[in-house]
Amino acid sequence: MKHRVLVIGLGQIGMGYDLRLDPDFHISTLARAFSMHTDFELTGGVDLETSRRKLFEKEYLRPSFSSIEQAIAETQPNIIAISVPTENHFEVFLEVLKFSKPEVILCEKPLSYKLTEAEEMIRVASDSGVILLTNYMRRCDLAVIEVRRRILR
């Protein structure tokens, strides 16, 4: 069974970083990673900007939405990736849980700029039976790996 994924936020991390790069060598965004992995099905994207939604639909041949509620209703994801600006993570997280109880919510780092919001997100996810993960994609960046290697010498 493939995991159904909805990406909320189609900016750089959601879709932009690798948009014009060869997918055989560059997987730097949520949309590309989920669309290429055989265990996942990218079901749609959400963004407030019409131009980003149109680009997403053209590149990934999946529907896009301006409404989280509509996107969840139409795509029925069991994984939701949140890649909106950090100051909106808490609000979007709560909106997601208002309309669904996905198995997993993957949220870009940091969870919030406010410790109280981050702690509340962790508590609400736990109480709801939702696994909350934070994406630290830079851990697999070759440049970061090289810096770490040099430090550990």
Coordinates of all heavy atoms in Angstrom, one line a residue, residues 43-134:
T43 N -0.4 13.2 -3.7 CA -1.8 13.3 -4.1 C -2.2 14.7 -4.4 O -3.2 14.9 -5.1 CB -2.7 12.8 -3.0 OG1 -2.5 13.6 -1.8 CG2 -2.5 11.3 -2.7
G44 N -1.4 15.7 -4.0 CA -1.8 17.1 -4.3 C -0.9 18.1 -3.5 O -0.1 17.7 -2.7
G45 N -1.1 19.3 -3.8 CA -0.4 20.4 -3.1 C -1.3 21.5 -2.8 O -2.4 21.7 -3.4
V46 N -0.9 22.3 -1.8 CA -1.7 23.4 -1.3 C -0.8 24.7 -1.3 O 0.3 24.6 -0.7 CB -2.3 23.2 0.1 CG1 -3.1 24.4 0.6 CG2 -3.1 21.9 0.2
D47 N -1.3 25.8 -1.8 CA -0.6 27.0 -1.7 C -1.6 28.2 -2.0 O -2.5 28.0 -2.7 CB 0.6 27.1 -2.7 CG 1.6 28.1 -2.3 OD1 1.4 29.3 -2.5 OD2 2.7 27.7 -1.7
L48 N -1.3 29.3 -1.4 CA -2.2 30.4 -1.6 C -2.0 31.1 -2.9 O -2.9 31.7 -3.5 CB -2.0 31.5 -0.4 CG -2.4 31.0 1.0 CD1 -2.1 32.0 2.0 CD2 -3.9 30.6 1.0
E49 N -0.7 31.0 -3.4 CA -0.4 31.6 -4.7 C -0.8 30.8 -5.9 O -0.4 29.6 -6.1 CB 1.1 31.9 -4.7 CG 1.6 33.0 -3.8 CD 3.0 33.4 -4.0 OE1 3.5 33.2 -5.2 OE2 3.6 33.8 -3.0
T50 N -1.6 31.4 -6.7 CA -2.1 30.7 -8.0 C -1.0 30.3 -8.8 O -1.0 29.2 -9.4 CB -3.1 31.7 -8.7 OG1 -4.1 32.1 -7.9 CG2 -3.6 31.0 -10.0
S51 N 0.1 31.1 -9.0 CA 1.2 30.7 -9.9 C 1.9 29.5 -9.4 O 2.3 28.6 -10.2 CB 2.1 31.9 -10.0 OG 2.7 32.2 -8.8
R52 N 2.1 29.3 -8.1 CA 2.7 28.1 -7.6 C 1.8 26.9 -7.8 O 2.3 25.8 -8.1 CB 3.0 28.3 -6.1 CG 4.2 29.2 -5.8 CD 4.5 29.2 -4.4 NE 5.5 30.2 -4.1 CZ 5.8 30.6 -2.9 NH1 5.1 30.2 -1.8 NH2 6.7 31.5 -2.7
R53 N 0.5 27.1 -7.6 CA -0.4 25.9 -7.8 C -0.4 25.5 -9.3 O -0.3 24.3 -9.6 CB -1.8 26.3 -7.4 CG -1.9 26.5 -5.9 CD -3.4 26.5 -5.4 NE -4.3 27.4 -6.2 CZ -4.5 28.6 -5.9 NH1 -3.9 29.2 -4.8 NH2 -5.3 29.4 -6.6
K54 N -0.4 26.4 -10.2 CA -0.4 26.1 -11.6 C 0.9 25.3 -12.0 O 0.9 24.4 -12.7 CB -0.5 27.3 -12.5 CG -1.9 27.9 -12.5 CD -2.1 29.1 -13.4 CE -3.5 29.6 -13.4 NZ -3.6 30.8 -14.2
L55 N 2.1 25.8 -11.4 CA 3.3 25.2 -11.7 C 3.4 23.8 -11.1 O 3.9 22.8 -11.8 CB 4.5 26.1 -11.1 CG 5.9 25.7 -11.4 CD1 6.1 25.6 -12.9 CD2 6.9 26.6 -10.8
F56 N 2.9 23.6 -9.9 CA 2.8 22.3 -9.3 C 2.0 21.3 -10.2 O 2.4 20.2 -10.5 CB 2.2 22.4 -7.9 CG 1.9 21.1 -7.2 CD1 3.0 20.5 -6.5 CD2 0.7 20.4 -7.3 CE1 2.8 19.2 -5.9 CE2 0.5 19.2 -6.7 CZ 1.5 18.6 -6.0
E57 N 0.8 21.8 -10.6 CA 0.0 20.9 -11.5 C 0.7 20.6 -12.8 O 0.6 19.4 -13.3 CB -1.3 21.6 -11.8 CG -2.2 21.7 -10.5 CD -3.5 22.4 -10.8 OE1 -3.8 22.9 -11.9 OE2 -4.3 22.5 -9.8
K58 N 1.4 21.5 -13.4 CA 2.1 21.3 -14.6 C 3.3 20.3 -14.4 O 3.5 19.3 -15.2 CB 2.7 22.6 -15.2 CG 3.5 22.4 -16.4 CD 4.1 23.7 -16.9 CE 5.0 23.5 -18.0 NZ 5.9 24.6 -18.3
E59 N 4.0 20.4 -13.3 CA 5.2 19.6 -13.1 C 4.9 18.2 -12.6 O 5.5 17.2 -12.9 CB 6.2 20.3 -12.1 CG 6.8 21.6 -12.6 CD 7.7 21.3 -13.8 OE1 8.4 20.3 -13.8 OE2 7.8 22.1 -14.7
Y60 N 3.8 18.1 -11.7 CA 3.6 16.9 -11.0 C 2.3 16.2 -11.5 O 2.0 15.1 -11.0 CB 3.6 17.1 -9.5 CG 5.0 17.4 -9.0 CD1 5.4 18.7 -8.8 CD2 5.9 16.4 -8.9 CE1 6.7 19.0 -8.4 CE2 7.2 16.6 -8.5 CZ 7.6 17.9 -8.3 OH 8.9 18.2 -7.9
L61 N 1.5 16.9 -12.3 CA 0.3 16.3 -12.9 C -0.7 15.8 -11.7 O -1.3 14.8 -11.8 CB 0.6 15.1 -13.8 CG 1.5 15.5 -15.0 CD1 1.8 14.2 -15.8 CD2 0.9 16.6 -15.8
R62 N -0.7 16.6 -10.7 CA -1.6 16.4 -9.5 C -2.4 17.6 -9.3 O -1.9 18.8 -9.6 CB -0.7 16.0 -8.3 CG 0.1 14.7 -8.4 CD -0.8 13.5 -8.4 NE -0.1 12.3 -8.4 CZ 0.1 11.5 -9.4 NH1 -0.3 11.9 -10.6 NH2 0.8 10.4 -9.3
P63 N -3.5 17.5 -8.6 CA -4.3 18.7 -8.3 C -3.7 19.6 -7.2 O -2.9 19.1 -6.4 CB -5.6 18.1 -7.8 CG -5.3 16.8 -7.3 CD -4.1 16.3 -8.1
S64 N -4.0 20.9 -7.3 CA -3.5 21.8 -6.2 C -4.8 22.6 -5.7 O -5.8 22.7 -6.4 CB -2.5 22.7 -6.8 OG -3.0 23.6 -7.7
F65 N -4.6 23.1 -4.5 CA -5.7 23.7 -3.9 C -5.2 25.0 -3.1 O -4.1 25.1 -2.7 CB -6.3 22.8 -2.8 CG -6.7 21.4 -3.4 CD1 -5.7 20.4 -3.5 CD2 -7.9 21.2 -3.9 CE1 -6.0 19.2 -4.0 CE2 -8.2 19.9 -4.4 CZ -7.3 18.9 -4.5
S66 N -6.1 25.9 -2.9 CA -5.8 27.1 -2.1 C -6.4 26.8 -0.7 O -6.0 27.5 0.3 CB -6.5 28.3 -2.6 OG -7.9 28.2 -2.8
S67 N -7.2 25.8 -0.5 CA -7.8 25.5 0.8 C -7.3 24.1 1.3 O -7.4 23.1 0.6 CB -9.4 25.4 0.6 OG -10.0 24.7 1.6
I68 N -6.9 24.2 2.6 CA -6.4 22.9 3.2 C -7.6 22.0 3.4 O -7.5 20.8 3.1 CB -5.8 23.2 4.6 CG1 -4.4 24.0 4.4 CG2 -5.6 22.0 5.4 CD1 -3.8 24.5 5.6
E69 N -8.8 22.5 3.8 CA -10.0 21.7 4.0 C -10.3 21.0 2.7 O -10.6 19.7 2.7 CB -11.1 22.6 4.4 CG -12.4 21.8 4.6 CD -13.6 22.6 5.1 OE1 -13.5 23.9 5.0 OE2 -14.6 22.0 5.5
Q70 N -10.4 21.7 1.6 CA -10.7 21.1 0.3 C -9.7 20.0 -0.1 O -10.0 18.9 -0.6 CB -10.9 22.1 -0.8 CG -11.3 21.5 -2.1 CD -11.4 22.6 -3.2 OE1 -10.9 23.7 -3.1 NE2 -11.9 22.2 -4.4
A71 N -8.4 20.4 0.1 CA -7.3 19.5 -0.3 C -7.4 18.1 0.4 O -7.3 17.1 -0.2 CB -6.0 20.1 -0.1
I72 N -7.7 18.2 1.7 CA -7.8 17.0 2.5 C -9.0 16.2 2.1 O -8.9 15.0 1.9 CB -7.8 17.4 4.0 CG1 -6.4 17.9 4.5 CG2 -8.3 16.2 4.9 CD1 -6.4 18.4 5.9
A73 N -10.1 16.9 1.9 CA -11.3 16.2 1.5 C -11.2 15.5 0.2 O -11.6 14.3 0.0 CB -12.5 17.2 1.4
E74 N -10.5 16.1 -0.8 CA -10.4 15.5 -2.1 C -9.2 14.5 -2.3 O -9.3 13.6 -3.1 CB -10.3 16.6 -3.1 CG -11.6 17.4 -3.3 CD -11.6 18.3 -4.5 OE1 -10.9 18.1 -5.5 OE2 -12.4 19.3 -4.4
T75 N -8.2 14.6 -1.5 CA -7.0 13.8 -1.7 C -6.9 12.7 -0.6 O -6.2 11.7 -0.8 CB -5.7 14.6 -1.7 OG1 -5.5 15.2 -0.4 CG2 -5.7 15.6 -2.8
Q76 N -7.6 12.8 0.5 CA -7.6 11.8 1.6 C -6.1 11.3 1.9 O -5.9 10.1 1.9 CB -8.4 10.6 1.2 CG -9.9 11.0 1.0 CD -10.6 11.4 2.3 OE1 -10.5 10.6 3.3 NE2 -11.1 12.6 2.4
P77 N -5.2 12.2 2.3 CA -3.9 11.8 2.6 C -3.7 11.2 3.9 O -4.5 11.4 4.9 CB -3.1 13.2 2.6 CG -4.1 14.1 3.1 CD -5.4 13.7 2.5
N78 N -2.8 10.3 4.1 CA -2.4 9.8 5.4 C -1.1 10.3 5.9 O -0.8 10.1 7.1 CB -2.5 8.2 5.4 CG -1.5 7.6 4.5 OD1 -1.3 8.0 3.4 ND2 -0.9 6.5 4.9
I79 N -0.4 11.1 5.0 CA 0.7 11.8 5.4 C 0.5 13.3 4.9 O 0.2 13.5 3.7 CB 2.0 11.2 4.9 CG1 2.3 9.8 5.4 CG2 3.2 12.2 5.2 CD1 3.5 9.1 4.8
I80 N 0.8 14.2 5.8 CA 0.7 15.6 5.4 C 2.0 16.3 5.7 O 2.5 16.2 6.8 CB -0.5 16.4 6.1 CG1 -1.8 15.7 5.6 CG2 -0.4 17.9 5.7 CD1 -3.0 16.3 6.2
A81 N 2.6 16.9 4.7 CA 3.9 17.6 4.8 C 3.6 19.1 4.9 O 3.0 19.7 4.0 CB 4.8 17.3 3.7
I82 N 4.1 19.8 5.9 CA 3.8 21.2 6.1 C 5.1 22.0 5.8 O 6.1 21.8 6.5 CB 3.4 21.6 7.5 CG1 2.0 20.9 7.8 CG2 3.3 23.1 7.7 CD1 1.5 21.1 9.2
S83 N 5.1 22.8 4.7 CA 6.3 23.5 4.3 C 6.0 25.0 4.1 O 6.5 25.6 3.1 CB 7.0 22.9 3.1 OG 6.1 22.9 2.0
V84 N 5.1 25.5 4.9 CA 4.8 26.9 4.8 C 5.8 27.7 5.6 O 6.6 27.1 6.3 CB 3.3 27.2 5.3 CG1 2.3 26.4 4.5 CG2 3.2 26.8 6.8
P85 N 5.8 29.1 5.6 CA 6.8 29.8 6.4 C 6.6 29.4 7.9 O 5.5 29.2 8.4 CB 6.4 31.3 6.2 CG 5.8 31.2 4.8 CD 5.1 29.9 4.7
T86 N 7.7 29.4 8.6 CA 7.7 29.0 10.0 C 6.6 29.7 10.9 O 6.0 29.0 11.7 CB 9.1 29.2 10.6 OG1 10.0 28.4 9.9 CG2 9.1 28.7 12.1
E87 N 6.4 31.0 10.7 CA 5.5 31.7 11.5 C 4.0 31.2 11.3 O 3.2 31.5 12.1 CB 5.5 33.2 11.3 CG 5.3 33.6 9.8 CD 6.6 33.7 9.0 OE1 7.7 33.3 9.5 OE2 6.6 34.3 7.9
N88 N 3.8 30.4 10.3 CA 2.5 29.8 10.0 C 2.3 28.4 10.3 O 1.3 27.8 10.2 CB 2.1 30.0 8.5 CG 2.1 31.5 8.1 OD1 3.0 31.9 7.3 ND2 1.3 32.3 8.7
H89 N 3.4 27.7 10.8 CA 3.4 26.3 11.1 C 2.3 25.9 12.1 O 1.5 25.0 11.9 CB 4.7 25.8 11.7 CG 5.8 25.6 10.6 ND1 7.1 25.2 11.0 CD2 5.8 25.8 9.3 CE1 7.8 25.2 9.9 NE2 7.0 25.5 8.8
F90 N 2.2 26.7 13.2 CA 1.3 26.3 14.3 C -0.2 26.4 13.7 O -1.0 25.5 13.9 CB 1.5 27.3 15.5 CG 0.6 27.0 16.6 CD1 0.8 25.8 17.4 CD2 -0.4 27.8 17.1 CE1 0.0 25.5 18.5 CE2 -1.1 27.6 18.2 CZ -0.9 26.4 18.9
E91 N -0.5 27.5 13.1 CA -1.8 27.7 12.5 C -2.2 26.6 11.5 O -3.3 26.1 11.6 CB -1.9 29.1 11.9 CG -3.2 29.4 11.1 CD -3.1 30.7 10.4 OE1 -2.2 31.6 10.7 OE2 -3.8 30.9 9.4
V92 N -1.3 26.3 10.6 CA -1.6 25.3 9.6 C -1.7 23.9 10.2 O -2.6 23.1 9.9 CB -0.5 25.3 8.5 CG1 -0.5 24.1 7.6 CG2 -0.6 26.6 7.7
F93 N -0.8 23.6 11.2 CA -0.9 22.3 11.9 C -2.3 22.2 12.6 O -2.9 21.1 12.4 CB 0.2 22.3 13.0 CG 0.2 21.2 13.9 CD1 0.7 20.0 13.6 CD2 -0.4 21.3 15.2 CE1 0.6 18.9 14.5 CE2 -0.5 20.3 16.1 CZ 0.1 19.1 15.7
L94 N -2.7 23.2 13.2 CA -4.1 23.1 13.9 C -5.2 22.9 12.8 O -6.1 22.2 13.0 CB -4.3 24.3 14.8 CG -3.4 24.4 16.0 CD1 -3.7 25.7 16.8 CD2 -3.6 23.2 16.9
E95 N -5.0 23.6 11.7 CA -6.0 23.5 10.7 C -6.1 22.1 10.1 O -7.1 21.5 9.8 CB -5.8 24.6 9.6 CG -6.9 24.6 8.5 CD -6.8 25.8 7.6 OE1 -5.9 26.6 7.7 OE2 -7.6 25.8 6.6
V96 N -4.9 21.5 9.9 CA -4.8 20.1 9.4 C -5.6 19.2 10.3 O -6.4 18.4 9.9 CB -3.3 19.7 9.2 CG1 -3.2 18.2 9.1 CG2 -2.7 20.4 8.0
L97 N -5.3 19.3 11.6 CA -6.0 18.4 12.6 C -7.5 18.7 12.7 O -8.2 17.9 13.2 CB -5.3 18.5 13.9 CG -3.9 17.9 13.9 CD1 -3.2 18.0 15.2 CD2 -3.9 16.4 13.5
K98 N -7.9 19.9 12.3 CA -9.3 20.2 12.4 C -10.1 19.4 11.3 O -11.2 19.0 11.5 CB -9.5 21.7 12.1 CG -10.9 22.2 12.1 CD -11.0 23.7 11.8 CE -12.4 24.2 11.7 NZ -12.4 25.7 11.4
F99 N -9.4 19.1 10.2 CA -10.1 18.5 9.1 C -9.7 17.0 8.9 O -10.2 16.3 8.1 CB -9.9 19.2 7.8 CG -10.4 20.6 7.9 CD1 -9.6 21.7 7.8 CD2 -11.8 20.9 8.0 CE1 -10.1 23.0 7.9 CE2 -12.3 22.2 8.1 CZ -11.4 23.2 8.0
S100 N -8.6 16.6 9.6 CA -8.2 15.2 9.4 C -7.4 14.7 10.6 O -6.9 15.5 11.4 CB -7.4 15.0 8.1 OG -6.1 15.5 8.3
K101 N -7.1 13.4 10.6 CA -6.2 12.8 11.6 C -5.2 11.9 10.8 O -5.4 10.7 10.8 CB -6.9 12.0 12.7 CG -7.8 12.8 13.6 CD -7.0 13.7 14.5 CE -7.9 14.4 15.5 NZ -8.3 15.7 15.1
P102 N -4.3 12.6 10.1 CA -3.3 11.8 9.3 C -2.5 10.9 10.2 O -2.4 11.1 11.4 CB -2.5 12.8 8.6 CG -2.5 14.0 9.5 CD -3.9 14.0 10.1
E103 N -1.9 9.9 9.7 CA -1.0 9.0 10.4 C 0.3 9.8 10.8 O 0.8 9.7 11.9 CB -0.5 7.8 9.6 CG -1.7 6.9 9.3 CD -1.2 5.8 8.3 OE1 0.0 5.4 8.3 OE2 -2.1 5.3 7.6
V104 N 0.7 10.7 9.9 CA 2.0 11.4 10.1 C 1.8 12.8 9.6 O 1.2 13.1 8.5 CB 3.1 10.8 9.3 CG1 4.4 11.6 9.4 CG2 3.4 9.3 9.8
I105 N 2.4 13.8 10.3 CA 2.5 15.1 9.9 C 4.1 15.4 9.9 O 4.7 15.3 10.9 CB 1.8 16.2 10.7 CG1 0.3 16.0 10.7 CG2 2.2 17.6 10.3 CD1 -0.5 16.9 11.6
L106 N 4.6 15.7 8.7 CA 6.0 16.1 8.6 C 6.0 17.6 8.5 O 5.5 18.2 7.5 CB 6.6 15.5 7.3 CG 8.0 15.9 6.9 CD1 9.0 15.5 8.0 CD2 8.3 15.3 5.6
C107 N 6.7 18.2 9.4 CA 6.8 19.7 9.4 C 8.2 20.2 9.3 O 9.1 19.6 9.9 CB 6.2 20.2 10.8 SG 6.0 22.0 10.8
E108 N 8.4 21.1 8.4 CA 9.7 21.7 8.2 C 10.2 22.3 9.5 O 9.5 22.7 10.4 CB 9.7 22.7 7.1 CG 9.7 22.1 5.7 CD 10.8 21.2 5.4 OE1 12.0 21.5 5.8 OE2 10.6 20.1 4.8
K109 N 11.5 22.4 9.6 CA 12.1 23.0 10.8 C 12.2 24.5 10.7 O 12.2 25.0 9.6 CB 13.5 22.4 11.1 CG 14.6 22.8 10.1 CD 15.9 22.3 10.6 CE 17.0 22.7 9.7 NZ 17.3 24.1 9.6
P110 N 12.2 25.2 11.8 CA 11.8 24.7 13.1 C 10.3 24.6 13.2 O 9.5 25.1 12.4 CB 12.3 25.8 14.1 CG 12.2 27.1 13.2 CD 12.5 26.6 11.8
L111 N 9.8 23.8 14.2 CA 8.4 23.7 14.4 C 7.7 25.0 14.5 O 6.6 25.3 14.0 CB 8.0 22.8 15.6 CG 8.2 21.3 15.5 CD1 7.9 20.6 16.8 CD2 7.3 20.8 14.4
S112 N 8.3 25.9 15.3 CA 7.8 27.2 15.6 C 9.0 28.1 16.0 O 10.0 27.6 16.5 CB 6.7 27.2 16.6 OG 6.3 28.5 16.9
Y113 N 8.8 29.4 16.0 CA 9.7 30.3 16.6 C 9.4 30.5 18.0 O 10.2 31.0 18.8 CB 9.7 31.7 15.9 CG 10.2 31.7 14.5 CD1 9.5 32.3 13.5 CD2 11.4 31.1 14.1 CE1 9.9 32.4 12.2 CE2 11.9 31.2 12.9 CZ 11.2 31.8 11.9 OH 11.6 31.8 10.6
K114 N 8.3 30.0 18.5 CA 7.9 30.1 19.9 C 7.9 28.7 20.5 O 7.2 27.8 20.0 CB 6.5 30.7 20.0 CG 6.4 32.1 19.4 CD 4.9 32.6 19.4 CE 4.8 34.0 18.8 NZ 3.4 34.4 18.7
L115 N 8.6 28.6 21.6 CA 8.7 27.3 22.3 C 7.3 26.8 22.7 O 7.0 25.6 22.6 CB 9.6 27.4 23.5 CG 9.8 26.1 24.3 CD1 10.4 25.0 23.5 CD2 10.7 26.4 25.5
T116 N 6.5 27.7 23.2 CA 5.1 27.3 23.7 C 4.3 26.7 22.5 O 3.6 25.7 22.7 CB 4.3 28.4 24.3 OG1 4.3 29.5 23.3 CG2 5.0 28.9 25.6
E117 N 4.4 27.2 21.3 CA 3.7 26.7 20.2 C 4.3 25.3 19.8 O 3.5 24.4 19.5 CB 3.8 27.6 19.0 CG 2.9 28.8 19.1 CD 3.0 29.7 17.8 OE1 3.8 29.4 16.9 OE2 2.2 30.7 17.8
A118 N 5.6 25.2 19.8 CA 6.2 23.9 19.4 C 5.8 22.8 20.4 O 5.4 21.7 20.1 CB 7.7 24.0 19.4
E119 N 5.8 23.2 21.7 CA 5.4 22.2 22.7 C 3.9 21.8 22.6 O 3.6 20.7 22.8 CB 5.7 22.8 24.1 CG 7.1 22.9 24.5 CD 7.4 23.6 25.8 OE1 6.6 24.5 26.2 OE2 8.5 23.4 26.4
E120 N 3.1 22.8 22.2 CA 1.7 22.5 22.0 C 1.5 21.6 20.8 O 0.6 20.7 20.8 CB 0.9 23.8 21.9 CG -0.6 23.7 21.6 CD -1.4 23.2 22.9 OE1 -0.8 23.0 23.9 OE2 -2.6 23.0 22.7
M121 N 2.2 21.8 19.8 CA 2.1 21.0 18.6 C 2.5 19.5 19.0 O 1.8 18.6 18.6 CB 3.0 21.5 17.5 CG 2.6 22.8 16.8 SD 3.8 23.5 15.7 CE 3.7 22.4 14.3
I122 N 3.5 19.3 19.7 CA 3.9 18.0 20.2 C 2.9 17.4 21.0 O 2.5 16.2 20.8 CB 5.3 18.1 20.9 CG1 6.4 18.5 19.9 CG2 5.6 16.8 21.6 CD1 7.7 18.9 20.6
R123 N 2.3 18.1 21.9 CA 1.3 17.6 22.8 C 0.0 17.2 22.0 O -0.5 16.1 22.2 CB 0.9 18.6 23.9 CG -0.1 18.1 24.9 CD -0.7 19.1 25.8 NE -1.5 20.1 25.1 CZ -2.7 19.9 24.6 NH1 -3.3 18.7 24.7 NH2 -3.4 20.8 24.0
V124 N -0.5 18.1 21.2 CA -1.7 17.9 20.4 C -1.5 16.7 19.5 O -2.4 15.8 19.4 CB -2.1 19.1 19.6 CG1 -3.2 18.8 18.6 CG2 -2.5 20.2 20.6
A125 N -0.4 16.6 18.8 CA -0.1 15.4 18.0 C -0.1 14.1 18.8 O -0.8 13.2 18.4 CB 1.3 15.6 17.3
S126 N 0.5 14.1 19.9 CA 0.5 12.9 20.8 C -0.9 12.6 21.2 O -1.3 11.4 21.1 CB 1.4 13.2 22.0 OG 1.4 12.1 22.8
D127 N -1.6 13.6 21.7 CA -3.0 13.3 22.1 C -3.9 12.8 21.0 O -4.9 12.1 21.3 CB -3.6 14.6 22.8 CG -3.0 15.0 24.1 OD1 -2.2 14.2 24.6 OD2 -3.3 16.1 24.6
S128 N -3.6 13.2 19.8 CA -4.4 12.8 18.6 C -4.0 11.5 18.0 O -4.6 11.0 17.1 CB -4.3 13.9 17.6 OG -4.8 15.2 18.1
G129 N -2.9 11.0 18.5 CA -2.3 9.7 17.9 C -1.7 10.0 16.5 O -1.6 9.0 15.7
V130 N -1.2 11.2 16.3 CA -0.5 11.5 15.1 C 1.0 11.6 15.3 O 1.4 12.2 16.3 CB -1.1 12.9 14.5 CG1 -0.3 13.4 13.3 CG2 -2.5 12.8 14.2
I131 N 1.7 11.0 14.4 CA 3.2 11.1 14.5 C 3.6 12.4 13.9 O 3.3 12.7 12.8 CB 3.9 9.9 13.8 CG1 3.5 8.6 14.4 CG2 5.4 10.1 13.7 CD1 3.9 7.4 13.6
L132 N 4.3 13.2 14.7 CA 4.8 14.5 14.3 C 6.3 14.4 14.0 O 7.1 14.1 15.0 CB 4.5 15.6 15.3 CG 5.0 17.0 15.0 CD1 4.5 17.5 13.7 CD2 4.7 17.9 16.2
L133 N 6.8 14.6 12.8 CA 8.2 14.6 12.5 C 8.6 16.0 12.0 O 7.8 16.7 11.5 CB 8.4 13.6 11.3 CG 8.0 12.2 11.6 CD1 8.1 11.3 10.3 CD2 8.8 11.5 12.7
T134 N 9.9 16.3 12.2 CA 10.5 17.5 11.7 C 11.5 17.2 10.7 O 12.4 16.3 10.9 CB 11.1 18.3 12.9 OG1 10.1 18.5 13.9 CG2 11.6 19.7 12.4

